Amino acid sequence: NPDGRWETSIARNIGLDISLFKAKFEASLDVYSRSTIDMLYPDSKPATWGEVNLPSVNIGEMKNSGFDLMLTYRGKAGKDFSFIVNANVSHFKNKAVKLNGNPNEILYGNATEASFNTATVAGKAVNSFYGYVVDGIFNTQQEVDGWPKFNPDISGKDVYSMPGVFKFRDVNGDGKITPLDRTFLGDGNPNLSYGLNIDLRYKNWDMNLFFQGLQGRKIINSVSRNMLFIRQDGNYLRKRLYESWTPERYASGAKITVPITINNDANMQLPSTYFIENGDYLRMKDIQIGYTINSKVLTKAKINDLRIYFQASNLFTLTKYSGLDPEVTNQGIDNSVYPTSRIFVLGLNMKL
């Protein structure tokens, strides 16, 4: 494409810095908006053009916006106690404004075994979650008979629906469940990310605490999909055995969180709301407690300060996410990452 060129970014931001009470309180706010235009996007032509590979053209457009807020407060209580509190909050919003001239154009993204988990369309976040909406599990044949048929064949027969399997929603209202009922299910971008750092000092003692978290985030738990359904020989999650649907469990009112166990469960593995979970979390990233020794003995040994400290990292995480670690970086898709380790350190700092 001889007319191809680099994309163009237009950034706008407004900043505000405040310092009050002799710099005891400080605040910094940055509100920004960034538009990227003329993004390269694969050119598409009607099928009558045949099997041709066309060059990409400069037609895509994307917008990022948000704010960053930082707050600091320094204080004292008496002669020996002092503290510094730092807090930060960030909001980020992403939106694809245009892919090409077709407002209904969909660019498919991440896929699991030929089933797309994400897609991009104008007006939504890039790589938004994409799939079916699950409205529960069929419990009776009467429910099955009163529900739209799933991918009926030419004779109108539905070979999927039965008591114990997922009830997929007829999103477009055409009276049947087909790939046209896939819809956008949110994205992996949090509404807020935040952090809190607290530094405390009393005489020779010091303590530092650091917390970090996300709010308003969703995660696709692909690990759950791998360990709940018949995909390969291997281990399964405990709830597959104790919480899966059976006629007896349904009749007794037992807890049911997993559909029926059958060999042919490929349709229940399709990307859907069943695998999307709340990804909010608050984690204590770090805590450190120290004591500094100043003595004449150290001075004679030409040591000015000797600090003994204990540090614990990733001490705890508060979350409703059922996976190993909610701190997922792969566009909000958990494909089984090694969990964050809890670390304990006992150390010395020496100043000569």
Side-chain angles (χ1 to χ4, degrees), residues 34-232:
R34 178 176 178 176
S35 297
T36 304
I37 60 176
D38 293 333
M39 297 172 63
L40 289 170
Y41 187 82
D43 195 5
S44 59
K45 297 296 181 184
T48 53
W49 280 54
E51 295 289 334
V52 294
N53 292 321
L54 298 172
S56 296
V57 292
N58 295 93
I59 51 179
E61 183 176 346
M62 180 177 66
K63 182 179 180 180
N64 294 324
S65 59
F67 67 82
D68 297 313
L69 175 64
M70 297 184 65
L71 302 172
T72 300
Y73 186 79
R74 302 175 179 87
K76 289 185 176 182
K79 183 177 67 174
D80 298 319
F81 181 73
S82 64
F83 62 90
I84 301 175
V85 179
N86 291 292
N88 64 81
V89 179
S90 297
H91 168 71
F92 170 79
K93 185 177 181 180
N94 168 267
K95 181 174 72 173
V97 179
K98 181 178 68 172
L99 297 181
N100 58 16
N102 179 8
N104 298 318
E105 175 80 1
I106 295 180
L107 176 64
Y108 295 103
N110 181 281
T112 301
E113 296 184 358
S115 297
F116 292 102
N117 286 319
T118 64
T120 302
V121 68
K124 300 286 186 181
V126 174
N127 286 322
S128 293
F129 299 158
Y130 188 71
Y132 294 90
V133 177
V134 173
D135 284 329
I137 296 173
F138 288 118
N139 289 311
T140 65
Q141 187 60 44
Q142 287 75 17
E143 285 186 66
V144 174
D145 295 339
W147 202 260
K149 294 182 178 181
F150 183 89
N151 277 337
D153 59 23
I154 193 170
S155 66
K157 185 178 181 181
D158 174 2
V159 297
Y160 159 75
S161 299
M162 59 181 286
V165 301
F166 286 145
K167 291 193 295 186
F168 293 111
R169 183 181 300 176
D170 180 16
V171 172
N172 64 4
D174 64 356
K176 56 186 177 181
I177 312 298
T178 68
L180 296 177
D181 290 301
R182 292 177 299 173
T183 188
F184 290 91
L185 308 171
D187 59 79
N189 297 318
N191 291 332
L192 292 175
S193 58
Y194 56 89
L196 177 65
N197 188 284
I198 302 173
D199 190 71
L200 308 172
R201 296 184 183 274
Y202 178 72
K203 293 185 177 180
N204 289 22
W205 290 94
D206 63 85
M207 175 184 289
N208 181 269
L209 303 98
F210 175 47
F211 299 87
Q212 180 264 334
L214 298 178
Q215 184 71 29
R217 191 201 194 183
K218 296 181 178 180
I219 296 177
I220 295 178
N221 191 344
S222 289
V223 178
S224 176
R225 174 181 180 270
N226 293 343
M227 299 186 69
L228 279 178
F229 294 92
I230 308 296
R231 300 183 62 250
Q232 57 198 3

Side-chain angles (χ1 to χ4, degrees), residues 200-208 287-295 298 303-312 345-351:
L200 308 172
R201 296 184 183 274
Y202 178 72
K203 293 185 177 180
N204 289 22
W205 290 94
D206 63 85
M207 175 184 289
N208 181 269
I287 178 172
Q288 187 175 121
I289 302 173
Y291 184 81
T292 301
I293 302 172
N294 306 109
S295 70
L298 294 179
I303 300 174
N304 293 328
D305 291 317
L306 180 65
R307 178 173 175 267
I308 304 172
Y309 69 91
F310 171 76
Q311 180 178 347
V345 177
L346 183 63
L348 293 174
N349 290 329
M350 187 180 298
K351 186 183 294 184

